[in-house]
């Protein structure tokens, strides 16, 4: 990881750093805001469900309370109460008792017509004799039916006058078909708390549906169970399979069905012994939470993008000047003294640009000063070396003229003096630093004529200078010392005529190659190395002088080299850059002498 970080550019590092620093607070704030909003909404949703469930259960309890009060009617009807207390068999009833029985039956038949939720009513004495009334069907009780087996009858007897409510069960003591009902029953007792009869009301569970419909909770998950956990009411039939799962989650007061995506609350009625499960689709219940989540996500994304955009701007603002400064430094490194534009900034980067600009300007001035001094030094050396050539050359030439005049007294002296005048004119009057190879060859031929007058029949020169290379520029009088060495040294002790070949050709690398080859006595390796050795300070100026002049002007890759031809003798090779005279012109020193 550290290796990858080290390879990243400064801009990317700053961008990542600023992005992380800017994004982390945004993400933390967004997550915290969403979590707090979610908690508030979930808490509010749970409270709302709890209130609705409580109100729904209270409505059910109020409805059951009406039935509870009705079971007290025998206590407020003296005739009916006296009839129940008589405990006589039906065949022993007198007129008053029969009349009381009729009044009781009329009451039992009248109340169901008032409350549509009652499907039927029964009254059983403690001997099992009963009277009943059923809506929309036969009210005749079964003669062979034993009421003592009914759970609601036993619960009512055990309740000792307390109103009890059962769960949903089948009421089958009428001669007609049985039906599903919720039974509310009460034991009727006398003043001494002796049991007289049990009055039971069979209630249709549809009254719960009407209550639910009135609360506009049709889409809600609603389940009502009795004390045994059996369903009393289900908003949908398939919810009955979920009751064991819901019963296992009642400890926390809330429940959740992940497969159905329902979330709800639990309410228990001590009065009825029933449990109400009220739930709602989680997405619908927490619809506001989804909006908050989406808003939080969008806001976080926008803020993160904004942080990234600002981070990129900051990173670019810091890295761009530095990258520009690095580019300028590389230019300075290769010798291009480019002064960067000053930034309109007062911070550290602006100060860095200002100081760097001053440094580059000062460095450029120092380099120019050094180059000027080096240029003056090289020109002084070149002129000094050329001055060293002139006395040496003039001494030998004048001595030759003197000897020829003494020995021969020949008219050739005029030709010799003419050639000498040409050379003196070239030496003293020519001001250009570079001359065409054509002129150099003409001077060299004049010099050869002088040497031929001095050393008659001693050497023969062959010229091999193609026309295309004759416009090549070169320092003046560069070849004279080379030819002089060939004539003086190569022919020394030679018993035959010395053959000298002067040739020139252009190489593939645009290098002008000039060769002065002879078939003289030759030299050893030590002698050839000594001629070009800078440490040789014996005062000889020949080839070493030519070599130094070329390197000082054109660079270290040019100069003089010596080689042995296939036969006897020595070959002096001169390498010069090919510069036609139109390009060479009157240029001064071309190179700094460091090889380029």
């Amino acid at each position: 990881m550290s290796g990858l970080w080290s390879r990243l550019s400064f801009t990317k590092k700053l961008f990542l750093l600023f992005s992380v620093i800017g994004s982390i607070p945004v993400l933390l704030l967004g997550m915290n805001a969403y979590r707090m909003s979610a908690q508030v909404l979930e808490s509010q949703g749970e409270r709302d469900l709890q209130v609705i469930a409580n109100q729904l259960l209270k409505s059910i309890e109020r409805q059951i309370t009406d039935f509870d009060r009705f079971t007290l009617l025998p206590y407020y009807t003296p005739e009916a109460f006296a009839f129940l207390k008589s405990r006589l068999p039906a065949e022993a009833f007198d007129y008053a008792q029969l009349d009381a029985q009729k009044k009781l039956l009329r009451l039992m038949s009248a109340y169901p017509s008032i409350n549509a939720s009652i499907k039927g009513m029964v009254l059983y004495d403690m001997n099992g004799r009963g009277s009943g009334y059923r809506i929309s069907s036969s009210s005749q009780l079964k003669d062979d039916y034993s009421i003592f087996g009914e759970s609601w009858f036993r619960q009512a007897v055990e309740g000792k006058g307390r109103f009890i409510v059962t769960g949903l069960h089948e009421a089958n003591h009428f001669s007609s078909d049985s039906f599903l009902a919720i039974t509310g029953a009460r034991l009727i007792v006398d003043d001494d708390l002796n049991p007289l009869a049990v009055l039971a009301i069979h209630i249709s569970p549809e009254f719960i549906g009407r209550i639910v419909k009135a609360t506009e909770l049709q889409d809600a998950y609603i389940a009502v169970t009795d004390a045994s956990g059996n369903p009393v009411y289900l908003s949908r039939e398939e919810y009955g399979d979920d009751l064991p799962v819901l019963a296992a989650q009642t400890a926390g007061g809330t429940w959740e069905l992940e497969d159905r995506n329902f979330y709800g609350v639990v309410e228990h009625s001590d009065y009825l012994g029933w449990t109400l499960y009220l739930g709602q689709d989680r997405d619908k219940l927490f619809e506001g939470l989804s909006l908050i989540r989406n808003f939080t996500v969008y806001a976080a994304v926008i803020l993160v993008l904004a942080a990234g955009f600002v981070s990129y701007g900051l990173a670019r603002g810091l890295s761009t000047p530095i990258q520009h400064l690095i580019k300028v430094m590389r230019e300075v490194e290769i010798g291009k003294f480019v002064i960067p534009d000053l930034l309109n900034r007062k911070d550290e980067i602006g100060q860095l640009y200002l100081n760097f600009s001053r440094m580059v300007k000062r460095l450029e001035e120092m380099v120019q000063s050094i180059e000027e001094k080096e240029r003056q030094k090289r020109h002084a050396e070149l002129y000094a070396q050329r001055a060293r050539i002139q006395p040496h050359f003039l001494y030998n030439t004048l001595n030759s003229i003197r000897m020829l005049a003494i020995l021969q007294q020949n008219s050739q002296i005029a030709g010799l003096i003419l050639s000498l005048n040409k050379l003196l004119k070239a030496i003293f009057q020519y001001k250009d630093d570079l001359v065409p190879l054509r002129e150099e060859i003409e001077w060299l031929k004049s010099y050869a004529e002088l040497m031929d007058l001095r050393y008659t029949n001693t050497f023969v020169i062959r010229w091999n200078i193609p026309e295309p290379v004759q416009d090549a520029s070169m320092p003046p009088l560069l070849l004279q010392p080379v030819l002089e060495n060939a004539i003086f040294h190569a022919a020394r002790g030679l018993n035959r005529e010395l053959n000298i070949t002067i040739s020139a050709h252009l190489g593939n690398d645009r290098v002008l190659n000039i060769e002065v080859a002879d078939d003289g006595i030759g030299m050893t390796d030590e002698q050839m190395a000594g001629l070009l050795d800078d440490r040789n300070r014996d005062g000889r100026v020949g080839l070493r002088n030519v070599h130094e002049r070329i390197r000082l002007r054109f660079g270290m890759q040019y100069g003089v080299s010596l080689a042995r031809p296939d036969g006897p003798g020595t070959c002096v090779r001169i390498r010069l850059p090919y510069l036609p005279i139109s390009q060479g012109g009157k240029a001064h020193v071309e190179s700094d002498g460091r090889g380029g």
Side-chain angles (χ1 to χ4, degrees):
M1 186 65 181
S2 59
L4 178 61
W5 177 258
S6 62
R7 289 194 297 270
L8 292 177
S9 64
F10 185 63
T11 304
K12 292 180 179 178
K13 289 180 180 179
L14 287 177
F15 173 68
L16 292 176
L17 184 62
F18 290 151
S19 297
V20 170
I21 293 175
S23 300
I24 287 179
V26 171
L27 295 177
L28 290 178
L29 290 174
M31 292 173 59
N32 187 57
Y34 173 72
R35 185 176 65 254
M36 294 180 64
S37 300
Q39 291 176 351
V40 171
L41 284 179
E42 288 181 356
S43 177
Q44 184 64 41
E46 182 179 339
R47 285 196 300 269
D48 292 343
L49 285 177
Q50 202 77 45
V51 170
I52 295 173
N54 184 267
Q55 292 176 350
L56 181 60
L57 195 58
K58 292 298 183 184
S59 298
I60 296 174
E61 288 179 345
R62 283 194 299 270
Q63 185 69 56
I64 298 297
T65 301
D66 292 340
F67 303 136
D68 183 359
R69 287 194 295 268
F70 179 75
T71 58
L72 296 174
L73 286 178
Y75 291 106
Y76 300 103
T77 307
E79 297 88 347
F81 194 72
F83 167 73
L84 294 176
K85 291 177 63 177
S86 64
R87 298 186 181 181
L88 294 174
E91 58 273 11
F93 285 172
D94 56 14
Y95 176 79
Q97 290 170 334
L98 289 174
D99 186 62
Q101 183 182 24
K102 290 180 180 179
K103 288 183 179 181
L104 182 59
L105 291 174
R106 282 197 298 269
L107 287 173
M108 291 175 62
S109 61
Y111 193 70
S113 63
I114 299 174
N115 193 319
S117 298
I118 297 178
K119 299 185 69 174
M121 298 180 63
V122 291
L123 178 67
Y124 285 94
D125 61 18
M126 302 312 298
N127 295 322
R129 295 178 302 179
S131 299
Y133 181 83
R134 181 179 177 187
I135 303 298
S136 302
S137 189
S138 173
S139 299
Q140 183 67 34
L141 298 178
K142 294 179 180 178
D143 294 335
D144 57 349
Y145 184 77
S146 175
I147 196 61
F148 301 110
E150 290 286 350
S151 61
W152 57 266
F153 187 86
R154 295 194 304 270
Q155 293 177 28
V157 172
E158 293 171 357
K160 297 180 180 181
R162 180 175 56 83
F163 184 74
I164 62 97
V165 180
T166 69
L168 191 63
H169 67 98
E170 282 193 7
N172 50 15
H173 38 264
F174 288 95
S175 59
S176 58
D177 294 336
S178 60
F179 57 92
L180 291 176
I182 300 167
T183 299
R186 183 190 298 276
L187 177 67
I188 307 300
V189 297
D190 59 13
D191 296 336
D192 297 327
L193 300 181
N194 295 315
L196 300 178
V198 174
L199 178 61
I201 302 174
H202 298 305
I203 309 165
S204 172
E206 294 177 357
F207 83 94
I208 301 178
R210 287 192 291 271
I211 295 175
V212 170
K213 186 176 182 180
T215 57
E216 299 182 356
L217 294 173
Q218 293 87 346
D219 296 334
Y221 187 107
I222 302 175
V224 181
T225 62
D226 58 18
S228 300
N230 297 317
V232 176
Y233 172 82
L234 298 172
S235 57
R236 291 188 182 181
E237 290 295 330
E238 61 267 22
Y239 292 166
D241 299 334
D242 303 327
L243 294 179
V245 178
L246 299 181
Q249 301 184 45
T250 56
T254 60
W255 56 269
E256 187 172 3
L257 293 175
E258 294 183 359
D259 56 338
R260 298 185 186 274
N261 198 33
F262 272 103
Y263 176 85
V265 296
V266 179
E267 279 289 328
H268 181 75
S269 173
D270 294 332
Y271 170 60
L272 301 176
W274 291 356
T275 301
L276 171 67
Y277 299 95
L278 175 62
Q280 185 62 273
D281 183 87
R282 176 178 284 276
D283 295 336
K284 185 175 181 180
L285 180 63
F286 302 122
E287 184 177 1
L289 183 61
S290 301
L291 294 176
I292 292 177
R293 181 180 63 247
N294 295 337
F295 175 78
T296 303
V297 171
Y298 294 150
V301 170
I302 291 174
L303 291 176
V304 168
L305 292 177
F309 181 77
V310 173
S311 301
Y312 181 77
L314 290 175
R316 289 282 296 177
L318 291 175
S319 63
T320 300
I322 296 177
Q323 291 176 349
H324 180 67
L325 197 58
I326 292 174
K327 182 179 179 180
V328 174
M329 287 181 178
R330 290 173 178 170
E331 295 289 333
V332 174
E333 184 179 0
I334 61 176
K336 297 180 180 180
F337 296 96
V338 179
I339 299 177
D341 297 332
L342 295 179
L343 299 179
N344 189 20
R345 299 174 60 161
K346 303 299 181 181
D347 56 6
E348 289 81 357
I349 294 180
Q351 293 298 318
L352 179 62
Y353 262 68
L354 178 61
N355 293 335
F356 182 76
S357 300
R358 292 174 178 173
M359 183 189 70
V360 171
K361 186 176 181 180
R362 178 60 179 163
L363 185 60
E364 182 181 17
E365 293 175 353
M366 293 176 62
V367 170
Q368 290 177 351
S369 176
I370 293 173
E371 287 181 348
E372 181 62 27
K373 291 180 180 179
E374 288 293 325
R375 186 180 295 109
Q376 294 176 358
K377 178 181 177 182
R378 289 170 190 157
H379 278 286
E381 291 177 352
L382 288 175
Y383 284 117
Q385 289 172 355
R386 290 170 65 181
R388 292 172 63 189
I389 295 174
Q390 295 167 8
H392 178 76
F393 174 71
L394 290 176
Y395 173 77
N396 291 333
T397 303
L398 292 175
N399 186 58
S400 298
I401 295 173
R402 184 178 65 83
M403 293 298 298
L404 187 61
I406 294 174
L407 296 176
Q408 296 185 1
Q409 295 182 356
N410 195 312
S411 61
Q412 291 180 343
I413 293 175
L416 180 61
I417 294 174
L418 179 61
S419 298
L420 179 59
N421 286 336
K422 291 181 180 180
L423 289 177
L424 292 177
K425 181 179 180 181
I427 293 172
F428 293 110
Q429 296 182 1
Y430 205 93
K431 301 300 182 182
D432 286 347
D433 287 326
L434 296 176
V435 297
L437 177 59
R438 179 181 293 103
E439 293 187 13
E440 178 74 8
I441 296 301
E442 290 179 0
W443 297 337
L444 196 60
K445 288 180 179 180
S446 298
Y447 175 76
E449 291 176 359
L450 292 174
M451 292 299 99
D452 184 55
L453 292 173
R454 179 180 177 186
Y455 301 102
T456 305
N457 299 326
T458 301
F459 62 90
V460 175
I461 300 177
R462 295 179 176 84
W463 306 89
N464 184 15
I465 311 297
E467 180 65 27
V469 300
Q470 292 187 13
D471 287 332
S473 59
M474 61 184 301
L477 298 177
L478 190 69
L479 301 180
Q480 182 270 333
V482 181
L483 180 59
E484 182 180 16
N485 280 342
I487 295 173
F488 286 169
H489 301 290
R492 184 176 298 172
L494 192 66
N495 297 324
R496 58 178 174 81
E497 192 175 58
L498 178 67
N499 295 299
I500 300 174
T501 301
I502 300 176
S503 60
H505 68 276
L506 184 63
N508 294 330
D509 52 354
R510 303 288 290 176
V511 173
L512 178 64
N513 296 284
I514 302 174
E515 294 183 357
V516 179
D518 63 72
D519 59 353
I521 60 174
M523 289 185 290
T524 64
D525 294 338
E526 291 77 8
Q527 288 174 329
M528 287 190 295
L531 289 177
L532 301 178
D533 190 354
D534 293 339
R535 294 171 296 178
N536 188 350
R537 301 301 179 187
D538 58 0
R540 299 174 61 184
V541 295
L543 293 181
R544 189 175 72 251
N545 174 265
V546 175
H547 184 58
E548 290 177 355
R549 288 178 64 191
I550 294 174
R551 294 178 69 181
L552 283 173
R553 176 173 288 275
F554 300 112
M556 301 298 289
Q557 71 269 41
Y558 303 104
V560 177
S561 62
L562 290 90
R564 292 192 183 89
D566 295 335
T570 303
C571 178
V572 178
R573 294 172 180 170
I574 300 174
R575 282 173 51 88
L576 297 171
Y578 177 68
L579 297 173
I581 192 62
S582 59
Q583 297 182 19
K586 299 181 180 181
H588 294 286
V589 177
E590 298 282 340
S591 170
D592 59 1
R594 293 179 293 180

